[in-house]
Amino acid sequence: MRKKNVYKTVVATLLGLVVLFPIYYAFVASFFSLRDFTSPIPLLFPPQFSFHNYVRALTESLLPRFMVNSFIVSFFASLVRMGVAVLAAFSVVFFRFRGRNFLFFVIIATMMLPGDALIIENYLTVSRMGLLDTYAGIMSVYLLAPVQLFMLRQGFKTIPLTYREVAAVDGCSDIRFLWSVVLPLSKSIVMTLWLHSFVTMWNLYLWPLLVTNKTHMRTVQVGITMLGYAESLDYGPTFAAVSLLIAPSLLIFLLLRKGIVAGITKGTIVG
Amino acid sequence: MKKALSPSFKQLKNYLYLLPALALAYLFSYRPFVKTLLNSLSIVNFSGNIVEFVGLENFINLFKDRNFQISLINTFKFAVMFIPLDVAFCLFAALLVYRKRRLTAFNETLFMLPMAVAMSSAALVFKAIFNPTIGVINYVFRLSIQWFDDPKWAMLTVVLLGVWMAIGLDFLLLLGALRSVPQQLIESAQLEGAGSVATFFKIQLPLISPTLLFVISTRLRDSMLLGGPVMVMTSGGPQRSTQTLVYQMYVEGFVANNYSKGSAISVVVFALTFFLILFAFRFEKRGVFYQ
């Protein structure tokens, strides 16, 4: 039995290393020179550590600008997203009014309409609003996140309704109640959803590709596919750029690993 | 007067909180959905305005179009290769590590790592690894396959990229399911002499089947929406061998400016995904949702 367990661990580790390989290779290859790439035996370790590729990626292209674009879009889109979802969830959980459940359903049901199948019409809308090549245009279709709204509602529901009644008796306004009671009590779910939103926005590809034509408005995920090095087998700067993108998200991922595992296995965050 | 007004104002305020979400739902989901439906039944000019209502003509032409048939077949071909590979790998990996031992936490982390990598980065790395002349894959396995120029193989590279990107999440979902199978059940089965294969098929598999079916149906839906990896890795080629529905929709809409045809393809994608999402929700028992 014990021997069997050792086998299992060995096989699991080998498979795990295969899964890890593309990430490992991206980091290693970011140090390769053109000669290292075309070596007859593919190298799995850089012969020398030179940051030449990083320098080239950051200076020969607009990579820094792409990163700033992605940061702005991800940061503000997540903020607005949370704002929209928090207001809606707040209203649905703490107030009683006619059509409440129906309207909530109308919003949640947009989950059934995958955004990637709506790109043509949404492109026309955004273009008519004059938002092509703007941050607002990139964010626009992602400002409503039905899944997050749903999770926020579940989170808010854990707050006793009596709090609201007590607060109302004390003359606390709705917005004040939201700001100083509901949000502090839901800090962890709001932060998790915000971070999740940020990563989702940061990783977008198709929509930002469509609504940006000017090079300096591209987001980083779109930008790195157009650096133009790959055609000449000179992958170095591309891998440097990819490594620059993977490193921080790997770091965040490893730091939050426990929370992510718990979240997914218990079924709170997915996607 | 003021007092009489305030209750109705209060009622109105409740709706105001919902207004931003409703407006966005209308503007970027319902309105484009209805317009896509209408466009698919009409002739649409270059600026996206309807010229003439033509009924189902676009769909009839679409299904007669060889190009569309290829997209449809390729999309399903992707699903048929991608889902079994993904599920088999993740299930195997989860079975290896679900019992906590030394190194399992480390192995778990390795399997989860792809989650931290965005699609376009992953696609670029795969493009280099599979490069026929300088790539690692051909060298290590002593192959000389033209991965991106041979229509027989190009789809497999897209599938492998898809599997790699899906591993992190699907592995974790199945791992969670396996760990929630009561340990006593497994132990008592083994006391009665059941081997690990019998235990798996008689006890674990039935108990994790809701999660398994959920994974399969959501991945089926994702397969219908495959577009991005194709754009970065193969641009639908070679010889249209990786051209999927969403990729063709993108080409019709944004390269050929053929909005009627693009919209008709969208409607087909909607129909396919709609049923698969409903299917997924049937198996969704723990509040897990996809975006």
Side-chain angles (χ1 to χ4, degrees):
Chain A
M1 204 59 193
R2 181 146 292 172
K3 213 170 169 189
K4 214 169 137 193
N5 284 342
V6 175
Y7 283 141
K8 278 188 184 173
T9 309
V10 171
V11 175
T13 310
L14 287 176
L15 279 182
L17 292 176
V18 170
V19 171
L20 174 70
F21 181 75
I23 299 175
Y24 169 79
Y25 190 74
F27 282 109
V28 168
S30 69
F31 296 106
F32 285 0
S33 67
L34 180 56
R35 239 201 24 237
D36 300 335
F37 274 112
T38 50
S39 108
I41 301 164
L43 302 174
L44 291 179
F45 196 78
Q48 77 286 322
F49 282 96
S50 136
F51 286 90
H52 185 59
N53 289 328
Y54 288 87
V55 175
R56 282 182 62 196
L58 288 169
T59 53
E60 287 174 9
S61 70
L62 288 176
L63 189 64
R65 170 75 200 228
F66 299 158
M67 288 181 168
V68 171
N69 288 346
S70 280
F71 188 84
I72 293 175
V73 165
S74 310
F75 186 88
F76 287 104
S78 315
L79 213 63
V80 178
R81 242 180 177 210
M82 286 320 298
V84 170
V86 161
L87 282 181
F90 176 63
S91 154
V92 168
V93 172
F94 291 100
F95 303 113
R96 299 279 165 273
F97 54 93
R98 210 191 297 169
R100 176 172 68 108
N101 286 325
F102 172 73
L103 291 175
F104 182 71
F105 173 78
V106 166
I107 299 168
I108 291 290
T110 57
M111 250 192 284
M112 307 296 276
L113 304 172
D116 281 358
L118 291 170
I119 47 175
I120 295 179
E121 266 308 317
N122 277 338
Y123 175 85
L124 291 172
T125 307
V126 166
S127 131
R128 281 186 195 123
M129 290 162 99
L131 293 178
L132 292 182
D133 283 315
T134 64
Y135 294 135
I138 304 173
M139 297 182 215
S140 58
V141 298
Y142 289 94
L143 294 179
L144 179 66
V147 185
Q148 299 208 334
L149 174 53
F150 187 84
M151 286 175 191
L152 272 178
R153 189 185 72 151
Q154 303 307 98
F156 286 177
K157 270 185 172 174
T158 60
I159 299 168
L161 277 174
T162 43
Y163 284 20
R164 157 102 193 99
E165 285 150 24
V166 172
V169 169
D170 284 350
C172 173
S173 73
D174 294 340
I175 290 293
R176 176 109 192 274
F177 175 69
L178 171 65
W179 187 254
S180 24
V181 179
V182 176
L183 284 183
L185 284 175
S186 323
K187 209 158 57 188
S188 72
I189 182 160
V190 171
M191 280 314 290
T192 313
L193 292 178
W194 187 81
L195 195 71
H196 183 251
S197 252
F198 187 94
V199 176
T200 309
M201 295 302 299
W202 180 270
N203 288 346
L204 286 180
Y205 175 77
L206 185 56
W207 177 253
L209 169 78
L210 297 177
V211 292
T212 53
N213 294 317
K214 297 193 180 113
T215 313
H216 69 270
M217 283 308 292
R218 278 180 198 150
T219 60
V220 75
Q221 303 296 349
V222 177
I224 54 165
T225 66
M226 299 181 181
L227 294 179
Y229 295 111
E231 279 68 30
S232 53
L233 295 185
D234 186 11
Y235 282 109
T238 302
F239 274 111
V242 167
S243 301
L244 281 176
L245 289 190
I246 297 182
S249 53
L250 270 187
L251 205 69
I252 295 175
F253 183 80
L254 290 175
L255 287 175
L256 301 178
R257 196 181 67 92
K258 286 228 168 85
I260 297 171
V261 175
I264 291 176
T265 47
K266 287 194 207 107
T268 47
I269 24 170
V270 162
Chain B
M1 194 61 192
K2 203 180 164 200
K3 266 202 175 143
L5 263 177
S6 70
S8 64
F9 172 70
K10 233 180 161 179
Q11 279 292 335
L12 197 69
K13 216 166 66 177
N14 296 334
Y15 295 102
L16 273 181
Y17 292 126
L18 277 174
L19 196 64
L22 282 169
L24 286 166
Y26 166 75
L27 194 58
F28 294 117
S29 286
Y30 290 112
R31 185 175 173 276
F33 177 65
V34 172
K35 286 210 74 177
T36 303
L37 280 180
L38 293 176
N39 285 351
S40 73
L41 301 171
S42 322
I43 293 172
V44 182
N45 68 11
F46 278 118
S47 38
N49 297 317
I50 291 175
V51 179
E52 195 196 332
F53 182 80
V54 292
L56 291 176
E57 206 182 295
N58 290 328
F59 289 98
I60 293 166
N61 291 334
L62 191 64
F63 279 93
K64 277 195 226 149
D65 176 21
R66 183 76 195 118
N67 211 4
F68 173 76
Q69 291 167 1
I70 290 173
S71 305
L72 198 61
I73 291 167
N74 282 341
T75 304
F76 279 96
K77 214 164 106 187
F78 174 84
V80 166
M81 290 156 86
F82 163 67
I83 293 165
L85 272 177
D86 172 48
V87 169
F89 185 93
C90 293
L91 200 54
F92 185 64
L95 280 169
L96 287 176
V97 299
Y98 81 94
R99 244 184 236 182
K100 290 190 174 145
R101 284 187 300 266
R102 213 188 305 166
L103 278 178
T104 48
F106 169 72
N107 285 328
E108 270 173 43
T109 312
L110 287 184
F111 291 128
M112 285 155 53
L113 281 184
M115 264 200 283
V117 182
M119 185 280 291
S120 63
S121 305
L124 287 172
V125 176
F126 269 64
K127 225 170 150 177
I129 293 178
F130 281 91
N131 185 298
T133 40
I134 64 162
V136 182
I137 299 288
N138 267 0
Y139 182 78
V140 170
F141 296 101
R142 313 263 169 228
L143 302 168
S144 52
I145 296 174
Q146 296 292 315
W147 292 100
F148 301 106
D149 290 326
D150 188 338
K152 278 206 299 285
W153 294 102
M155 185 56 101
L156 186 61
T157 59
V158 180
V159 168
L160 290 175
L161 172 67
V163 170
W164 190 78
M165 290 192 306
I167 285 174
L169 188 61
D170 295 352
F171 162 76
L172 265 186
L173 288 170
L174 293 172
L175 184 70
L178 275 176
R179 285 199 174 143
S180 65
V181 173
Q183 197 57 40
Q184 303 102 290
L185 274 181
I186 296 174
E187 275 162 18
S188 58
Q190 278 167 347
L191 275 180
E192 285 174 27
S196 44
V197 177
T199 318
F200 173 70
F201 282 105
K202 291 267 156 63
I203 294 169
Q204 288 167 317
L205 192 60
L207 284 173
I208 64 165
S209 60
T211 310
L212 198 62
L213 288 168
F214 175 74
V215 168
I216 292 173
S217 44
T218 43
R219 287 305 176 191
L220 257 172
R221 185 206 67 152
D222 291 351
S223 305
M224 298 302 118
L225 291 166
L226 175 76
V230 170
M231 258 173 234
V232 183
M233 287 225 293
T234 61
S235 305
Q239 296 161 39
R240 298 188 287 195
S241 61
T242 55
Q243 176 183 289
T244 58
L245 289 172
V246 169
Y247 185 78
Q248 195 193 351
M249 177 182 84
Y250 160 79
V251 173
E252 300 294 353
F254 294 94
V255 183
N257 281 332
N258 191 340
Y259 293 125
S260 333
K261 196 169 173 187
S263 301
I265 300 175
S266 298
V267 172
V268 173
V269 174
F270 273 125
L272 288 171
T273 53
F274 182 76
F275 290 109
L276 292 168
I277 296 175
L278 281 186
F279 204 57
F281 279 157
R282 254 188 63 81
F283 299 111
E284 191 286 303
K285 291 195 168 159
R286 296 172 310 159
V288 183
F289 284 98
Y290 274 77
Q291 231 158 357

